Amino acid sequence: MEYVIEMLNIRKEFPGIVANDNINLQVKKGEIHALLGENGAGKSTLMNVLFGLYQPEKGEIRVRGEKVHINSPNKANDLGIGMVHQHFMLVDTFTVAENIILGKEPKKLGRIDRKRAVREVQDISDRYGLQINPEAKVADISVGMQQRAEILKTLYRGADILIFDEPTAVLTPHEIKELIQIMKNLVNEGKSIILITHKLKEIMVVCDRVTIIRKGKGIKSLDVRDTNQDELASLMVGREVSFKTEKKAAQPGSEVLAIDRITVKDTRGVEAVRNLSLSVNAGEIVGIAGVDGNGQSELIEAITGLRKTESGTISLNGKQIQNLSPRKVTESGIGHIPQDRHKHGLVLDFPIGENIVLQSYYKKPYSAFGVLHKGEMYKKARSLISEYDVRTPDEYTHARALSGGNQQKAIIGREIDRNPDLLIAAQPTRGLDVGAIEFVHKKLIEQRDAGKAVLLLSFELDEIMNLSDRIAVIFEGSIISSVNPLDTTEQELGLLMAGSTQKEAGKANG
């Protein structure tokens, strides 16, 4: 059996933690091999070892049967290994082609040959069906296109073994479909792909084999055709996982959030939210369904005080809150799980214990007469870390050092613990594994059942269908339809999100 990659008994340690505990991974030529595990299981660490970013304490790596020592990403590139990172490594002000040739520029008479660069990038793009414009500026293209630029960068450098780190975490459903096709095109051309993921549906659709790791240990490798989502989930988490969110029928109470004909501009001064009205009652979850870029972010920012409204009103429990400062909005009874946890949810270079009291550090018992009581802060942090199963060496560890899933649990714990009347959950499970998703869904339903209003924004259609009691469809900045999840399907919802009327969507669905 010819393996293009063999990682044998790899052990990688960090202070106080064994990230990879004698793991084995064997990848065949021309296959898409999934590396599956919970947040913080050690998947990215293992791939960073393969890509030369980390040196293992023990174990050996073979590439195409030969034992190798990969001590840098340049060495990995020389061996034909390329990595498409979760957080893209692109220069915004450069064009796609300029980003791709960076460090490997074609020269003519001692100068960079731009024409040849554009031509070569276009050729690779056409060959693999990437459909990207080499002369577009990175700042002006979508996240999906930026990812294609990253893929092109590895192909330009001659990679025939590609590592994809959580590639669909930031993509819309349509972009995910296109990426899956690109991956199939790559293996048809003889490339091999290692896909780091915890999305079981994608593994079943696109992968040939899967290796599961749990808490740093290799659990099992198996053929995808011989398994199913339930088995993969329980191997990954170590227990059975429910994909269907159990909940009783909602008992909506009085109106908590009332938005009346608001208009909000985006950063370019263009109207992103137009004349939008929406209400959320106590004891219900209202889901906002829409293709990314239809005003969702601006709507959430307007409610939470992060962006000014141009006109219209936003009321919480009958009191107008539009254009108040974020702190005033928070104090009026709103909890906010932001869609970008790094930008709006955490101070990454603060300890996780201090992040947990970010919304209340200036109140008693954490502060008195302008002096912070760190002991009280960390005491509170310890109890929430335990209640929300935030996996961290201790409460003094910097937020940056935690996995994405554990960062998210800390934010959710902080926001729910404040007992807000309205909880805004924007992409609450983005980048989380099935065990963590199940936990977050349970917490949101607990809030609803405790009589709180919950506004859910998600690009995962099954999450919207699963959790919502009512679904508001947003298109070009307006709510164009309101549907009951029990009376609709994902297909109908997809058509509504694309701007079809309810009648048209119903017909197409029927």
Side-chain angles (χ1 to χ4, degrees):
M1 168 52 64
E2 192 204 331
Y3 292 114
V4 286
I5 291 290
E6 290 176 273
M7 300 185 79
L8 305 171
N9 297 313
I10 299 295
R11 183 177 181 87
K12 178 65 200 159
E13 298 171 15
F14 296 108
I17 189 166
V18 179
N20 293 153
D21 191 353
N22 299 343
I23 292 180
N24 292 306
L25 173 71
Q26 295 174 305
V27 180
K28 297 174 186 171
K29 182 173 166 52
E31 75 170 352
I32 301 179
H33 192 115
L35 188 58
L36 174 67
E38 288 184 277
N39 300 110
K43 309 183 292 294
S44 295
T45 301
L46 188 66
M47 288 301 97
N48 284 334
V49 167
L50 179 59
F51 193 57
L53 288 165
Y54 294 153
Q55 300 305 300
E57 271 67 40
K58 197 179 131 214
E60 72 174 58
I61 299 172
R62 293 169 182 264
V63 177
R64 300 174 201 86
E66 300 225 348
K67 186 175 173 180
V68 294
H69 178 58
I70 305 175
N71 56 5
S72 73
N74 285 341
K75 175 70 175 167
N77 284 331
D78 293 345
L79 291 165
I81 300 168
M83 188 163 181
V84 179
H85 296 271
Q86 194 173 356
H87 301 290
F88 306 145
M89 314 275 182
L90 299 169
V91 182
D92 275 1
T93 50
F94 282 14
T95 65
V96 168
E98 285 166 347
N99 268 284
I100 285 160
I101 63 169
L102 206 53
K104 268 186 95 76
E105 298 87 348
K107 300 271 177 43
K108 188 178 185 181
L109 304 175
R111 301 179 66 175
I112 293 174
D113 187 345
R114 289 178 189 276
K115 279 188 177 162
R116 185 176 142 203
V118 168
R119 196 171 59 245
E120 286 179 0
V121 169
Q122 189 68 62
D123 288 348
I124 301 171
S125 173
D126 293 345
R127 181 174 173 186
Y128 296 102
L130 290 164
Q131 296 172 334
I132 189 166
N133 174 7
E135 298 183 79
K137 201 180 257 190
V138 164
D140 299 335
I141 60 176
S142 70
V143 171
M145 284 295 168
Q146 289 180 26
Q147 187 177 60
R148 292 178 191 201
E150 285 281 11
I151 296 169
L152 256 168
K153 205 159 69 173
T154 64
L155 296 171
Y156 179 78
R157 280 159 178 69
D160 53 14
I161 299 157
L162 285 90
I163 304 163
F164 284 82
D165 189 358
E166 301 280 1
T168 62
V170 291
L171 302 187
T172 65
H174 179 65
E175 286 171 332
I176 290 171
K177 269 189 190 154
E178 291 181 336
L179 175 67
I180 284 172
Q181 190 51 55
I182 288 166
M183 287 164 71
K184 287 177 174 171
N185 295 347
L186 288 165
V187 292
N188 288 342
E189 290 274 347
K191 308 289 184 192
S192 310
I193 294 175
I194 303 172
L195 174 65
I196 305 177
T197 186
H198 45 237
K199 290 192 174 179
L200 304 173
K201 212 187 270 182
E202 284 161 20
I203 290 177
M204 299 309 296
V205 168
V206 79
C207 294
D208 302 296
R209 288 195 309 138
V210 53
T211 294
I212 300 107
I213 62 177
R214 186 165 76 230
K215 293 182 181 166
K217 288 184 163 62
I219 300 297
K220 200 173 188 181
S221 291
L222 64 173
D223 286 347
V224 169
R225 64 170 179 267
D226 298 334
T227 186
N228 56 50
Q229 288 194 47
D230 291 332
E231 183 187 12
L232 290 178
S234 57
L235 284 169
M236 169 167 122
V237 182
R239 61 176 172 81
E240 278 195 21
V241 175
S242 164
F243 291 100
K244 188 78 188 123
T245 313
E246 297 299 324
K247 59 175 188 178
K248 52 184 194 281
Q251 306 286 327
S254 57
E255 189 175 66
V256 173
L257 176 72
I259 299 177
D260 187 29
R261 298 196 299 275
I262 65 163
T263 293
V264 185
K265 288 183 175 172
D266 66 14
T267 30
R268 298 165 303 165
V270 177
E271 286 183 1
V273 175
R274 298 190 185 99
N275 215 17
L276 179 146
S277 297
L278 177 71
S279 72
V280 187
N281 296 332
E284 73 168 349
I285 297 176
V286 172
I288 297 179
V291 176
D292 193 10
N294 275 276
Q296 296 95 320
S297 300
E298 290 80 4
L299 170 63
I300 300 291
E301 287 172 5
I303 301 170
T304 52
L306 293 168
R307 192 176 286 275
K308 296 278 182 250
T309 58
E310 301 298 313
S311 59
T313 60
I314 303 171
S315 303
L316 188 77
N317 295 323
K319 287 191 186 130
Q320 289 191 19
I321 58 164
Q322 74 275 4
N323 299 334
L324 292 181
S325 70
R327 180 178 284 186
K328 285 270 191 312
V329 169
T330 300
E331 288 177 340
S332 67
I334 289 183
H336 179 206
I337 300 163
Q339 60 179 334
D340 185 335
R341 55 179 164 255
H342 289 175
K343 200 167 164 190
H344 293 132
L346 299 163
V347 181
L348 291 172
D349 292 317
F350 277 17
I352 195 65
E354 291 180 23
N355 273 282
I356 280 174
V357 293
L358 271 186
Q359 297 276 37
S360 40
Y361 69 89
Y362 56 92
K363 295 178 179 167
K364 284 183 175 176
Y366 314 118
S367 166
F369 308 110
V371 178
L372 293 176
H373 293 315
K374 294 260 175 118
E376 290 293 339
M377 285 183 180
Y378 285 108
K379 189 170 137 193
K380 178 66 179 177
R382 278 191 294 276
S383 85
L384 283 184
I385 284 167
S386 154
E387 185 185 344
Y388 284 82
D389 187 28
V390 180
R391 294 180 194 172
T392 172
D394 55 41
E395 59 274 30
Y396 305 103
T397 300
H398 280 192
R400 186 183 295 286
L402 272 62
S403 72
N406 287 305
Q407 291 173 349
Q408 189 74 347
K409 284 190 205 169
I411 293 169
I412 290 167
R414 176 183 74 209
E415 297 304 313
I416 288 178
D417 185 68
R418 289 178 34 250
N419 200 23
D421 297 326
L422 171 70
L423 180 65
I424 297 173
Q427 297 278 69
T429 59
R430 174 188 263 174
L432 301 195
D433 60 67
V434 283
I437 289 170
E438 183 189 43
F439 176 83
V440 170
H441 285 179
K442 214 166 86 196
K443 286 292 175 192
L444 294 179
I445 287 164
E446 276 174 18
Q447 285 301 289
R448 178 200 84 157
D449 292 346
K452 306 296 182 183
V454 180
L455 182 61
L456 170 70
L457 164 65
S458 174
F459 299 129
E460 303 282 347
L461 276 192
D462 49 358
E463 180 165 67
I464 288 276
M465 298 281 283
N466 230 336
L467 283 181
S468 307
D469 301 305
R470 250 189 324 129
I471 300 173
V473 181
I474 191 168
F475 179 70
E476 292 184 348
S478 300
I479 301 293
I480 57 161
S481 182
S482 184
V483 293
N484 182 330
L486 301 174
D487 303 333
T488 189
T489 62
E490 282 195 21
Q491 187 188 2
E492 184 182 358
L493 207 48
L495 287 164
L496 287 169
M497 284 159 54
S500 300
T501 64
Q502 215 155 342
K503 207 177 247 180
E504 289 167 347
K507 256 189 210 152
N509 196 37

